[in-house]
Amino acid sequence: QVQLVESGGGLVQPGGSLRLSCAVSGSIFSINAMGWFRQAPGKQRELVAAFTTDGSTNYADSVKGRFTISRDNAKNTVYLQMNKLKPEDTAVYYCNTVSRVLRGTYDYWGQGTQVTVSS
């Protein structure tokens, strides 16, 4: 069983910062990719930032220069530092990993954490 536990969401004023964390646990052989997606009300889930299978990073254009993804491989944890937050960043943020387990390679999702940017 693979579990993703997210933390760090909350309410912040425009221009503020938040840091999200996602810890992956379970019987994992390897983590091929990790990242963050978000879904605002009435919108489709979209990629925010991710480490791809080759280890490079990928950011949505809307967050480039404001958000930074990082990871601690020893802890199987990925972080999202969000600076200069805007009201349009308001969404539920989901952690995602593509990981290899005994039965094969699968997509796993966290439960989501709410980020609200409002004055």
Side-chain angles (χ1 to χ4, degrees):
Q1 187 76 9
V2 177
Q3 287 188 321
L4 282 68
V5 179
E6 300 151 343
S7 61
L11 173 64
V12 64
Q13 291 187 341
S17 298
L18 283 174
R19 189 191 193 210
L20 305 182
S21 300
C22 173
V24 182
S25 62
S27 302
I28 298 171
F29 289 168
S30 63
I31 295 177
N32 297 348
M34 291 182 76
W36 293 92
F37 289 70
R38 67 187 180 187
Q39 188 166 19
K43 295 188 177 182
Q44 289 188 328
R45 190 173 297 189
E46 62 176 359
L47 171 71
V48 177
F51 287 102
T52 61
T53 53
D54 64 1
S56 61
T57 54
N58 190 19
Y59 291 92
D61 288 342
S62 59
V63 307
K64 285 180 180 177
R66 300 188 298 121
F67 291 10
T68 302
I69 189 170
S70 61
R71 63 185 174 186
D72 185 333
N73 290 333
K75 297 180 179 180
N76 282 347
T77 299
V78 64
Y79 306 95
L80 185 68
Q81 179 67 43
M82 304 184 293
N83 298 329
K84 300 179 182 178
L85 282 159
K86 303 175 181 180
E88 51 263 44
D89 294 318
T90 296
V92 178
Y93 283 69
Y94 295 92
C95 179
N96 169 263
T97 179
V98 178
S99 295
R100 188 166 69 91
V101 297
L102 180 63
R103 297 176 290 113
T105 300
Y106 297 92
D107 232 356
Y108 297 95
W109 293 90
Q111 79 283 359
T113 186
Q114 177 70 46
V115 171
T116 302
V117 184
S118 175
S119 55

